[in-house]
Amino acid sequence: MGKVSINLHRLENRAKNGIAGFGSYWKKGCLKPDNANFYLVSGTTDIPVQSRVTAYWPDGSVKWAAHTADSSLMGDECTISADATNNEAVDIKADVICVEENDNEFKINLSNGEITIPKSGNKLFTGYFRNGHRVINDSHSELILQHRDNASEDLCNIQNEKYIGKTNKVDIKECGNIRCVVRIEGIHVSKTSGKENIPFVIYLEIYKDRPELRFSYTFLWDADENKDYLKALGVRCESDINGEFYNRHIKIKTDNGFFHEAMAQLLSWRPRVPQETYHAQIAGELLNLDEEKDVNALKASMEMPIWGEYTLWQDSSSHYVIRKKISNDNCCYINGLHGIRTTGIVAFGGENGGLILGLKDFWEKYPSSINVKNIDKDTVTSSIWLWSPESEPMDFRHYTTTGYSQTYYEGFDEFGASPYGIANTNEFMIKPFEGKIASDEELDELSLEINYRSLYVASPEYYHDNRAFGYWSLPSRETTKENWVEDQLDKAIDFYLKEIDVRNWYGMFDYGDFMHTYDKERHSWRYDMGGYAWQNTELVPTLWIWFYFLRSGRSDVFHMAEEMSRHCSEVDMYHFGPLKGLGSRHNVRHWGCPCKEARIAMAGHHRFLYYLTGDMRLEDVFDDVKDADFSTVNMDPLRFFFDKDKMVYPTHARSGPDWSSFCSNWMTEWERNNNIEYLNKIKTGIEDLKATPMKLVSGSDFEYDPESSHLRYIGDRATGGTHLEICQGAEQTWLELTDLLEDEEWNKMLADFGCFYPLPHEKQFELTEGRIQQRQFTYPFMASGVMAYGAHYYKDHELGKKVWEILESCMEGEFGPDKLETVDIYNAGNQKVLHEMPGVSTNVMSQWSLNAIVALDFVRDDLNN
């Protein structure tokens, strides 16, 4: 093996500056991890890069790697290479960030600064120095829980309890020549009672040659939703400031341009201040006022209100306000500006520089705010509030006290809502600057870095030809029929890209998800109807959107998929407690349905984001789900359909979607950590399926033992329908396993399942000697991808044609003769003109699109014949 290379390009409409995190995918066997030295080149220029292996092939060679580099040096195109023949380790110790550790702290030494991370206590970090100056004194996490006691109909006792973060564990996750990544794990402690609530996990990126600090902040809900409301949550920093009040500035990014003021604005009735002085001040210049020449300006600056506190508050997806006040608790705020949407960038500073604060998805994940106070003191307190204290507190209670399984399509007629164990992750940045207030251009650039971090990817052709993420197709419009399929795929994705904004699918706990089913009479989605409300990964829109991105390379689709993965991997699943590794089925509240299942939380939804970006938070998520099968003992997915006293094994697992989701989790653990134990879990289940009378056709209900990973055959019954065996990501997981396991019998089993699915029931009954009884293989379009695999496996062109007949018939039946065309409805859905798709269902849209994308890879020729 010699030098191997991958050509990468910057995803369009992403930042061109800042530190980029990106992944690289390597062919099986070409790169051994023990001697893989990575090199990054743009043109003829070598670019410093920091790398780590994130996944392995079954032979132990590198499958995926994650890299970090300065995007301003990388340009629009670059090449990542690895010299697999070089057995000598490259000595880069002189370039690596130096970390000093003692019993109490980590001291991280940078090229022109240092920062200290305590191992315990209330501070996230202390003493951040740049160029010999302390730019941030310290920082801590802060929480306010609101408690309500409805004493009577006329009296409600409300108490706000303040908490401060306490660090329990600190790990250096990565340290190289570009960055040091610190993982801080802790919990909040009440300042009054000492009670502990709301754990947090922070990934803090510290750069060797750049001043900004980038945070990934995850909080996890462990409070009592019946008593506790989330009033505020954020991170607070203390930093020194100096200089005259008229040289202390604040600048806030708005819808258009910036809101910019000084603490003492040199605009005065009496005495008059020269216009050129005021003009220079508002332009951001540092003024050097002379006691003799600038008497009026100096006198005015001492006889006017000094605005010491500012708040930028986004209270909804369509409104924010900038408020300010003087530093006196007995004085009110006044409103400075109302706007619609801001990207959440605030800069403040004095004569010695200052800080820039930026929160990703500021308006999309409202209610958020950034507060800066004591700008008129020696030490400024600045806070990034993920949940703004100005807002109504978050109420985690359910919308009802029972379940509505029949009328509202909920799982069971029991109450099962529980937010205990869910999480939410937010990203923000703090950047020190020197000298006068940061320029508009710098703040615009930083806004892009925070919200659209620079990302480099390979071409769709490279990913496809080397089978990244299994089987999917590239677009082709060479024939009329291909053109028709591609048109439907484009219309589907473009509709949802617009629908997010039309329907305002925003907010901290909602942003990233879609709604499930549409109501054409109300011209709205069924937001209030149980299982018809939020999608919660049902029928894997995650996989549809990620596959669409892989085949198109579209930046807007990547952003939509990124936000969906972030939401679904946090809010829709449980990260601790008795349901750890499971998720909640689709509902009005993301944690509302009594059905808690592995399919909602499976690793396969989010592998794309992890491997393409190297996002470390997802490593925690994958750890949370790898043993999700054990949690089914606490929440058997078929608990209402079988008598537990008659069971041999402690719980149940349908071959799909339960066991197939376990496979997704296990496959991810196996490839990430080369963990053979989890490969053996997959093989154990496969051997159990091989031993059944009809192999993959058998079941799909099985008893299951998490300790041994064995499935126990209990006859042929498919609770919920046979389509559930294949449509919740099983198809994509199992197809990917065909390339990894080198088990020809498994490949044949999957092909046989695909061939069997569309057969007439009479033929199925005959072939199984009546074993399937009245079991129906419903919704064949949801299995058309695995049918296409069967057709490809057996070179069965008649079955290949059948696949396309099924997909076209589904499109006609579900959406009518106009297929995916929208109709214009006037003054509906709070729109002057609503571009409505009356029959839209995210279930159908996801499964039709996903199966078409897979089928094109196997039976494209049968579409055209």
Side-chain angles (χ1 to χ4, degrees), residues 616-639:
M616 286 188 178
R617 166 58 188 161
L618 288 168
E619 295 176 4
D620 293 343
V621 173
F622 296 148
D623 287 342
D624 292 340
V625 302
K626 65 185 175 66
D627 296 317
D629 52 322
F630 284 86
S631 294
T632 64
V633 176
N634 303 320
M635 186 67 73
D636 187 333
L638 302 182
R639 60 193 180 278

Side-chain angles (χ1 to χ4, degrees), residues 33 101 141 241-242 434 568 597 712 865:
E101 180 183 4
S141 183
I241 191 170
N242 67 13
E434 297 179 347
C568 295
E597 299 186 11
R712 178 174 177 268
N865 291 329

Side-chain angles (χ1 to χ4, degrees), residues 440-649:
D440 294 359
E441 292 75 19
E442 182 179 357
L443 297 181
D444 278 332
E445 185 179 281
L446 194 67
S447 176
L448 199 60
E449 289 179 31
I450 293 170
N451 288 284
Y452 297 93
R453 187 174 187 172
S454 184
L455 178 66
Y456 290 79
V457 295
S459 67
E461 291 76 15
Y462 177 84
Y463 291 132
H464 172 267
D465 294 348
N466 292 290
R467 291 292 168 218
F469 302 108
Y471 290 87
W472 46 274
S473 60
L474 292 171
S476 174
R477 292 180 175 272
E478 293 183 2
T479 69
T480 301
K481 290 183 178 180
E482 285 177 313
N483 198 59
W484 178 82
V485 173
E486 296 298 336
D487 279 348
Q488 309 317 307
L489 293 173
D490 289 348
K491 288 176 184 177
I493 209 79
D494 289 338
F495 175 78
Y496 278 85
L497 280 165
K498 296 172 183 175
E499 198 72 354
I500 293 168
D501 200 51
V502 169
R503 305 297 177 173
N504 279 293
W505 289 341
Y506 300 117
M508 174 174 277
F509 293 94
D510 295 333
Y511 180 53
D513 206 356
F514 295 163
M515 284 275 175
H516 187 285
T517 302
Y518 195 68
D519 177 358
K520 65 179 181 181
E521 300 301 332
R522 286 190 288 175
H523 304 293
S524 74
W525 292 77
R526 302 181 193 180
Y527 68 95
D528 55 351
M529 288 190 65
Y532 289 118
W534 291 112
Q535 191 73 14
N536 280 35
T537 79
E538 174 81 354
L539 271 62
V540 292
T542 46
L543 303 190
W544 156 41
I545 298 169
W546 278 117
F547 275 177
Y548 188 98
F549 165 72
L550 289 173
R551 70 198 308 263
S552 68
R554 281 175 51 177
S555 181
D556 55 350
V557 175
F558 177 90
H559 184 68
M560 179 165 65
E562 175 187 25
E563 300 298 345
M564 179 172 283
S565 279
R566 180 64 78 204
H567 165 87
C568 295
S569 65
E570 302 289 1
V571 180
D572 294 347
M573 64 167 282
Y574 296 100
H575 300 265
F576 58 80
L579 302 177
K580 181 179 179 179
L582 305 181
S584 293
R585 179 180 171 271
H586 41 107
N587 200 262
V588 171
R589 298 289 257 175
H590 292 283
W591 47 88
C593 187
C595 292
K596 313 296 184 183
E597 299 186 11
R599 61 185 171 88
I600 297 105
M602 70 173 182
H605 296 296
H606 318 302
R607 290 166 69 238
F608 305 86
L609 181 60
Y610 176 64
Y611 291 130
L612 290 170
T613 67
D615 186 298
M616 286 188 178
R617 166 58 188 161
L618 288 168
E619 295 176 4
D620 293 343
V621 173
F622 296 148
D623 287 342
D624 292 340
V625 302
K626 65 185 175 66
D627 296 317
D629 52 322
F630 284 86
S631 294
T632 64
V633 176
N634 303 320
M635 186 67 73
D636 187 333
L638 302 182
R639 60 193 180 278
F640 287 105
F641 300 97
F642 292 90
D643 187 344
K644 193 169 184 64
D645 293 337
K646 297 178 181 179
M647 291 166 54
V648 176
Y649 286 174

